[in-house]
Amino acid sequence: MPRIFLSPPHMGTDEAAFVTEAFDTNWVAPVGPHVDAFEAEFAEYVGAKHAVALSSGTAALHLALRDHGIGPGDKVLVSDLTFCASVNPILYEGGTPVFVDSERESWNVDPNLVEDAFRARASGGNQFKAFVPVHLYGQTVDMDPIVSLCEQYGVTIIEDAAEALGATYKGKSPGIFGRAGIFSFNGNKIITTSGGGMLVTDRSETAQHVKKMATQARDQAPHYEHSEIGFNYRLSNLLAGVGRGQLRVLDERVDARRAVFDAYVDALGDLPGVEFMPEAPWGRNTRWLTCLTLQPDAFGATPEEVRLALEAVNAEARPVWKPMHLQPIYKDYEFIGGDVSSDLFARGLCLPSGSSMSPADIARVVDTVASTHHAIA
Ligand SMILES: *Cc1c(COP(=O)(O)O)cnc(C)c1O
């Protein structure tokens, strides 16, 4: 049986032609017409004034934090339930992450806990210099309360929208609610350039500064003059060509992922102990990954037993992200919250969710998941 991957790349029809064009015109460099066009097309898609194409989502978050001046002693509030790349760049700059728990309604940060965290520090405490809300698994954070709290307490928002390209919050794209937002085109994301990222912002100073830092921070001069530390973080013109093709099919990819989710819900949603990740009322979830939680007593199997059963039929499932406050590298940092993120981790599972899944692929997953229930119950 061919392997069913969790979230494999799914090329459209124009990517190869764009790459060929880059070859034909010899723009095989981290600069060129596809980079410019990809940025313009992406900015228009998400509704931001500027977009800067970078080598990864991690690089984009790093430069967003650096542009904002995060440094030693600065506290940055960040979602607890996420991938480590939401947090590592805070440490690159010597900042101190503080983790905040999820709410069950969206699996994203709980605005009530954010308010508690801000209020506790408002009276002479060390207020957060930034907040990095993460839009998880294709679902947007409830941004309205977050935006007003951050305005009230003077905390800058930098959104990690790496998993939520194509999603909406009250009709708008994530990534455009704060000083900057970041996206990822890693191989497993909803669209991919094999690897790549994008920073979006309405601030022209931020866009200019990020572009400069991403290209070794060269000053305006005929020779090589440098007055700040730079990085080599620009996206290749070849990969930007892939990105342009992928952006054209993004909306189709969202529809396809949502159809995969719907097929899973139709087939498995009534089994005892199965609960799918909710779709929050404020937006459209792309269902980048179909996630569910199991009540092992009611279902008759643990998430790990289901994962192994899928592995046995060559289908790739994964646990939900392990919360940052439980990670060995981050266990000594402050965590605000309770047991929501740890419970979602303990009982959660992400099913194969690719937009190119066939009905037979979905049936293989569904039958296997259902069989773990019948075998044990
Ligand atoms: C994938 C991802 C990133 C990092 O993106 P890369 O392009 O892989 O560097 C950051 N945050 C989250 C939540 C992600 O899922």
Side-chain angles (χ1 to χ4, degrees):
M1 278 179 290
R3 184 152 177 83
I4 303 172
F5 289 99
L6 184 76
S7 179
H10 184 184
M11 290 298 112
T13 49
D14 296 338
E15 290 85 339
F18 281 133
V19 174
T20 302
E21 186 186 322
F23 270 93
D24 292 346
T25 54
N26 204 33
W27 281 107
V28 182
V31 60
H34 284 328
V35 173
D36 297 341
F38 189 32
E39 290 175 341
E41 289 157 6
F42 194 93
E44 185 179 354
Y45 183 90
V46 302
K49 290 211 179 98
H50 309 278
V52 182
L54 297 162
S55 54
S56 70
T58 309
L61 183 55
H62 184 195
L63 295 186
L65 293 165
R66 201 172 160 87
D67 170 67
H68 180 45
I70 296 294
D74 291 332
K75 291 198 167 176
V76 179
L77 193 68
V78 56
S79 299
D80 182 54
L81 186 66
T82 187
F83 180 48
C84 67
S86 304
V87 183
N88 289 339
I90 300 168
L91 276 288
Y92 299 167
E93 292 302 315
T96 304
V98 174
F99 303 116
V100 60
D101 203 355
S102 296
E103 56 174 15
R104 296 211 178 258
E105 184 180 20
S106 67
W107 294 21
N108 288 321
V109 283
D110 182 342
N112 295 313
L113 293 175
V114 173
E115 178 163 25
D116 292 348
F118 288 177
R119 203 191 295 119
R121 285 164 180 76
S123 52
N126 182 358
Q127 191 56 270
F128 299 99
K129 178 138 179 180
F131 176 30
V132 181
V134 182
H135 304 276
L136 211 60
Y137 293 128
Q139 174 129 285
T140 50
V141 171
D142 189 5
M143 289 307 293
D144 279 351
I146 298 292
V147 167
S148 66
L149 282 168
C150 286
E151 275 172 7
Q152 187 184 342
Y153 288 95
V155 178
T156 296
I157 298 171
I158 294 172
E159 292 171 76
D160 181 347
E163 299 183 4
L165 178 59
T168 60
Y169 178 73
K170 299 186 179 174
K172 290 185 180 165
S173 170
I176 62 168
F177 291 86
R179 179 184 172 105
I182 72 99
F183 295 88
S184 167
F185 314 118
N186 195 23
N188 61 358
K189 296 302 202 288
I190 196 159
I191 62 170
T192 182
T193 61
S194 76
M198 193 73 83
L199 179 145
V200 299
T201 182
D202 282 346
R203 294 166 47 94
S204 60
E205 317 88 296
T206 291
Q208 289 313 313
H209 187 212
V210 165
K211 240 180 231 183
K212 182 183 177 191
M213 288 191 291
T215 49
Q216 308 288 19
R218 189 177 169 191
D219 294 337
Q220 292 283 353
H223 60 278
Y224 283 84
E225 179 86 4
H226 304 275
S227 50
E228 71 172 312
I229 299 285
F231 302 85
N232 184 1
Y233 276 174
R234 218 42 178 132
L235 187 70
S236 159
N237 190 62
L238 289 175
L239 301 184
V242 178
R244 292 184 72 192
Q246 287 272 276
L247 195 57
R248 290 183 176 184
V249 293
L250 171 58
D251 290 339
E252 285 169 46
R253 298 297 181 258
V254 173
D255 291 344
R257 299 238 177 196
R258 287 179 61 90
V260 168
F261 174 86
D262 290 343
Y264 283 138
V265 172
D266 282 347
L268 301 168
D270 291 335
L271 292 179
V274 174
E275 200 183 330
F276 285 89
M277 180 185 183
E279 179 169 46
W282 50 74
R284 190 164 190 250
N285 186 327
T286 65
R287 303 297 184 184
W288 169 58
L289 295 184
T290 287
C291 307
L292 52 78
T293 54
L294 293 178
Q295 253 344 317
D297 291 347
F299 184 71
T302 64
E304 180 60 6
E305 286 167 334
V306 175
R307 192 187 71 78
L308 291 172
L310 287 166
E311 198 54 53
V313 297
N314 208 19
E316 183 186 26
R318 294 235 186 113
V320 164
W321 296 125
K322 182 174 181 177
M324 292 300 110
H325 81 280
L326 299 177
Q327 296 289 350
I329 40 166
Y330 289 127
K331 67 178 171 24
D332 294 331
Y333 292 93
E334 191 182 346
F335 167 59
I336 296 163
D339 62 1
V340 177
S341 63
S342 51
D343 178 61
L344 293 171
F345 169 60
R347 297 193 301 108
L349 191 68
C350 306
L351 298 179
S353 305
S355 46
S356 53
M357 282 182 86
S358 68
D361 293 339
I362 294 172
R364 197 200 309 172
V365 175
V366 160
D367 292 347
T368 306
V369 174
S371 75
T372 61
H373 161 62
H374 293 305
I376 294 164

